[in-house]
Amino acid sequence: LVLIAVFAAFAFDTGLNGSGPGAPATDVFMNALPALICAGALLVAWRRENVGGLLFSALAIGYILFTRQRPDWSMVIGGPLLLIGALFLASERMRRRARSGR
């Protein structure tokens, strides 16, 4: 949730560029898109941890590949996404072991 809140805060960091009356709303929406995508992945992960873990991992890998030229951005944004994905996958694995009695 904290990562989504940070992404949402970035959405309101858009400046008014004077492109027309609808431009500020479009800018805010486009910058809020990462927060909305992560919120959707979180909703899926709460229901199905393994699918959510794969979603967060895919988001991280996609972001890292998209920002190859900026490794600092890749680690600041992609790193936490990858960690969240790994934690959801580990949680699902631990839950399965507990159910099977191991």
Side-chain angles (χ1 to χ4, degrees):
L1 287 174
V2 174
L3 186 65
I4 295 170
V6 170
F7 286 164
F10 288 150
F12 296 104
D13 189 32
T14 59
L16 298 175
N17 59 8
S19 300
T26 304
D27 291 346
V28 169
F29 175 75
M30 289 305 292
N31 287 315
L33 209 50
L36 294 173
I37 291 170
C38 286
L42 183 62
L43 290 175
V44 170
W46 277 337
R47 195 81 162 130
R48 306 242 347 219
E49 290 175 332
N50 55 350
V51 175
L54 292 174
L55 276 174
F56 275 107
S57 298
L59 287 172
I61 291 168
Y63 187 80
I64 290 169
L65 291 175
F66 185 71
T67 58
R68 275 179 280 176
Q69 70 280 9
R70 295 296 307 256
D72 52 339
W73 293 3
S74 296
M75 289 301 104
V76 169
I77 303 295
L81 287 172
L82 198 57
L83 177 65
I84 291 167
L87 289 173
F88 273 117
L89 290 171
S91 176
E92 175 65 23
R93 187 173 184 193
M94 289 172 47
R95 186 181 314 271
R96 277 194 207 151
R97 282 189 179 174
R99 282 188 209 144
S100 67
R102 288 185 187 177

